[in-house]
Amino acid sequence: MRRTSASLVAGTLVAALAWASGPSTPAVALDPSVGVADLTQDINQILSDSRLTIARAGVVVKSAQTGEELYATDAGKLLTPASNTKLFTSAAAAQTLGLDYRFPTTVLSTGRKAGSVLAGDLVLRGTGDPTMLAEDYDALAAEVAAAGIKAVTGKLVADDTWFDSQRLGNDWSWDDETAYYAAPISALTASPDRDYDAGSVIVSVAADGDRVKVSTTPETDYLKIVNRATVGAETDVLIERQHGTRTVVITGTVADPYQEWVAVDDPTAYVSSLFRKSLARHGVKVLGPTTTGAAPSGAKELARHESMTLGELLVPFMKLSNNIHAEILTKAMGRKVANQGSWSAGLKVSTDFAKANGVQVINMRDGSGLSRRDGFSPGSIVQLLSAVRAKPWFSTWYESLPIAGNADRFTGGTLRSRMRGTPAENNVHAKTGSLTGVTSLSGYVTSADGEPLIFSIMLNQYLSASPKDIEDKIAVRLAQFSRSAAAGEAAQLRAADEGATGDLECSWLKPAQC
C-alpha cells in the first residue's frame, strides 16, 4: 500500500474539490488585462525555440473560472494528439459505462454432471477484463474443481465473442505488432503484471554460468522460445517475437538480468492455454480439444471473477497511459450502446459524447492515439476539458491524470520525473502524448493567484530532439501566472527535469526509466 502524507492528501482533496466546482462557479473580479500580456509574451518566447521552426505548434490556454481565452495559437488546427486521445476515451467511458462498471469473466458448463464427470463442454467466457492475471484464471479453475468436477468429456470452449474478431487497431504500424503497447485486443486476455499490460508476457534473461537462462512471467509454454543469446561482458540483447507467430527469438549477449514485455499473437489462444493448464493442476481433465465459439444459451455458470471498477482502473490506465485499456474500453462502450464490441461502434460513442459536449474538431481512429490519423485541435481538447468539469465523475477522473513531479508511480505517472522543483510540481494534472515526431500535454493547472486554468499544448512534425521541455516551460509559466503581476515581472521560466524522456511515454519504457 502506498503511503501519502496527510498534508498532501488534504491539498489534493482541496484541489479536486476546486476543480470539480464546474464552469458555473462565480468568477472572481479580476482585471483581465493585467498579467495576460506578459503571459502571451512569455509563451511566444518559449515557442520561438528553433526546434519548432519547421514544426507545427498549437497551444490554447483558458481560464476555467471566467471562460476567458488567455492564449491561443493555431487553436483550430487539426494536429496528431498521440495519447491525448485517451482524454476523450476515458471521459466517454466514465460517462457511458459508469465508474462502477466491472468486467466479468465466467466459466460455464453445458450438458449434465454425473458424479465428478461433466458430460458436455466447459466454456470460458470473457468480456475484455484487462486486469486478469494468470492467478485469476487459476482461481477460476479451482472453483471448477471445488464444484466436484474431475473430468469434462467435451471441449474447452473459449468464448471471446463479446468483442468482434478485429485484433489490431486502424492504421497501427506493422512494426508495432509484436510490441506490448500495441497488443491484440480480445475479450479474453491476460496481463503479466499489475500495470495490467494485457495481451503480453514478460520474457526474462539472465546469465547462468556459461549459458543464458530464459524465463517467462507468467510461466507458460505458449510462446516458442529460440534462445541464441550468449553470456558476455555486457548486456546487449534483443528479445523479439517474429511477426504473425508465437516464436520469440533471443539474440545478443547477457551479463546482467534483463526483461522485455512481448505481445502475444493471439490473446484468446494464450488465455486458453493458461486456463487448461490450471484446470489440470487442480485435477480437472478436459478430454476434448480447445476451440473457440459462443456459449450456448442455457449454459450454467460454475465460476465467476469480476474486475476492479472502472473508477479504480482509471489509475493504471491514465497514469501509465495504457493503450490496451483504451481500446478495450472503446469496444466495451460499443457493446453497451450498440451491442457491437467493435472499434467502429465504440468510436461512435466517444465522438458522439465529445460532440454533445461542444467539441467540433475531432477525428478518432482508435481509443489510444496509436493511429497517426487521429486528429484533434488544441481548442477541441480544451473544450472537452472544460465541459467535463461539470460531470459527477469528474473528481475521480481528474485524480487519474498524471501529476507533475510526483515521484510515486501511480500518482505522478508519466509526469513523475517532469517539472520537479517548480510551481507546477503537484499542481499540473495533465495527460501526456508521445509518438515519433509528436508530443502533447493537455490538462489543468492552478495559477499563482489560485485561478484554475485549462491548457492544451500540441507539437507535431519536429525532427530534432524532443521538445517536451517546451511543454514543461509553458506549464510552469501557467503555474506562475498572476493577473496582478506588473509587466516585466513575470517569474523566471524553469527548464524541464533532466530525467524526462524523449519520444516515448514513460510507461512505454519497460522497466520504467523515468
Side-chain angles (χ1 to χ4, degrees):
M1 179 180 293
R2 301 187 299 278
R3 299 186 182 276
T4 309
S5 68
S7 59
L8 179 57
V9 171
T12 300
L13 180 60
V14 169
L17 291 173
W19 275 104
S21 58
S24 61
T25 304
V28 175
L30 297 168
D31 182 347
S33 64
V34 177
V36 176
D38 284 333
L39 178 67
T40 299
Q41 179 181 348
D42 288 341
I43 295 178
N44 285 339
Q45 177 189 341
I46 296 169
L47 292 176
S48 68
D49 189 288
S50 61
R51 287 169 292 174
L52 300 183
T53 300
I54 62 170
R56 300 176 67 196
V59 179
V60 173
V61 181
K62 177 181 177 181
S63 169
Q65 200 168 57
T66 67
E68 175 190 2
E69 190 174 83
L70 302 176
Y71 182 89
T73 183
D74 281 348
K77 292 293 180 67
L78 195 69
L79 297 171
T80 304
S83 285
N84 269 206
T85 303
K86 295 183 178 80
L87 292 167
F88 291 78
T89 302
S90 59
Q95 179 71 25
T96 304
L97 302 174
L99 295 181
D100 293 331
Y101 180 85
R102 297 177 188 267
F103 298 89
T105 303
T106 53
V107 181
L108 310 170
S109 65
T110 67
R112 289 197 287 181
K113 180 175 175 289
S116 62
V117 177
L118 173 64
D121 296 335
L122 201 61
V123 182
L124 177 65
R125 181 165 63 186
T127 60
D129 184 358
T131 70
M132 285 292 287
L133 306 171
E135 64 193 57
D136 296 321
Y137 287 109
D138 192 72
L140 287 174
E143 283 190 58
V144 173
I149 296 174
K150 292 184 178 180
V152 178
T153 63
K155 304 180 295 292
L156 175 60
V157 180
D159 181 355
D160 61 2
T161 59
W162 194 252
F163 293 163
D164 67 1
S165 60
Q166 183 180 345
R167 295 289 185 248
L168 300 177
N170 296 319
D171 320 308
W172 288 7
S173 177
W174 75 269
D175 54 347
D176 284 336
E177 186 259 336
T178 64
Y180 81 96
Y181 55 77
I185 307 303
S186 171
L188 277 171
T189 191
S191 296
D193 55 22
R194 283 182 167 78
D195 285 0
Y196 303 115
D197 297 307
S200 65
V201 174
I202 304 171
V203 179
S204 303
V205 294
D208 183 17
D210 61 354
R211 68 185 186 94
V212 173
K213 182 180 180 180
V214 181
S215 60
T216 64
T217 305
E219 184 178 339
T220 178
D221 58 5
Y222 176 79
L223 295 175
K224 178 184 177 182
I225 304 293
V226 177
N227 182 11
R228 298 172 182 159
T230 58
V231 174
E234 62 179 3
T235 298
D236 183 12
V237 64
L238 179 64
I239 302 173
E240 189 172 38
R241 180 171 64 79
Q242 294 181 330
H243 288 286
T245 75
R246 59 183 67 176
T247 301
V248 175
V249 179
I250 305 173
T251 56
T253 58
V254 176
D256 301 313
Y258 177 81
Q259 56 188 13
E260 191 73 53
W261 277 244
V262 177
V264 298
D265 64 311
D266 184 342
T268 300
Y270 166 58
V271 163
S272 299
S273 73
L274 289 177
F275 187 56
R276 182 179 273 271
K277 284 187 176 298
S278 287
L279 287 168
R281 196 159 41 243
H282 289 282
V284 180
K285 185 174 183 180
V286 180
L287 301 180
T290 299
T291 63
T292 59
S297 59
K300 297 178 181 178
E301 184 174 304
L302 290 174
R304 168 178 286 258
H305 174 89
E306 293 204 344
S307 71
M308 63 179 68
T309 65
L310 173 58
E312 295 167 314
L313 181 65
L314 284 176
V315 172
F317 170 29
M318 296 295 278
K319 298 289 188 184
L320 303 183
S321 198
N322 192 302
N323 294 335
I324 309 308
H325 297 182
E327 308 306 349
I328 284 173
L329 287 171
T330 297
K331 290 198 173 190
M333 285 189 282
R335 181 74 190 204
K336 179 173 182 178
V337 173
N339 200 31
Q340 296 176 18
S342 66
W343 265 292
S344 58
L347 291 172
K348 185 177 187 303
V349 176
S350 292
T351 54
D352 285 351
F353 169 78
K355 291 174 182 177
N357 284 277
V359 174
Q360 299 300 320
V361 182
I362 176 175
N363 181 42
M364 289 189 74
R365 298 284 294 175
D366 62 13
S368 65
L370 267 177
S371 171
R372 288 184 173 272
R373 290 183 63 191
D374 287 323
F376 301 92
S377 70
S380 290
I381 293 177
V382 166
Q383 173 58 33
L384 176 85
L385 295 174
S386 300
V388 298
R389 292 179 63 235
K391 305 298 183 184
W393 41 261
F394 175 76
S395 59
T396 299
W397 184 83
Y398 170 77
E399 286 305 319
S400 76
L401 296 173
I403 301 176
N406 192 305
D408 183 273
R409 193 158 174 269
F410 285 95
T411 305
T414 54
L415 285 178
R416 62 188 176 277
S417 64
R418 294 172 61 177
M419 293 174 267
R420 289 179 180 171
T422 75
E425 181 178 335
N426 283 316
N427 179 353
V428 167
H429 287 57
K431 184 69 198 72
T432 54
S434 305
L435 291 170
T436 302
V438 173
T439 184
S440 53
L441 184 70
S442 302
Y444 307 92
V445 59
T446 302
S447 76
D449 293 333
E451 182 178 5
L453 307 177
I454 303 171
F455 67 92
S456 178
I457 307 164
M458 304 180 73
L459 309 177
N460 282 194
Q461 298 178 340
Y462 56 86
L463 297 178
S464 56
S466 172
K468 288 185 183 295
D469 60 301
I470 292 175
E471 298 171 339
D472 292 355
K473 288 175 181 178
I474 294 174
V476 170
R477 181 61 183 89
L478 296 178
Q480 296 168 326
F481 172 62
S482 172
R483 289 182 181 269
S484 60
E489 292 182 359
Q492 181 182 1
L493 300 176
R494 299 284 296 276
D497 186 271
E498 293 180 356
T501 58
D503 284 334
L504 295 178
E505 299 274 19
C506 290
S507 64
W508 293 15
L509 301 173
K510 295 283 190 176
Q513 297 173 12
C514 58

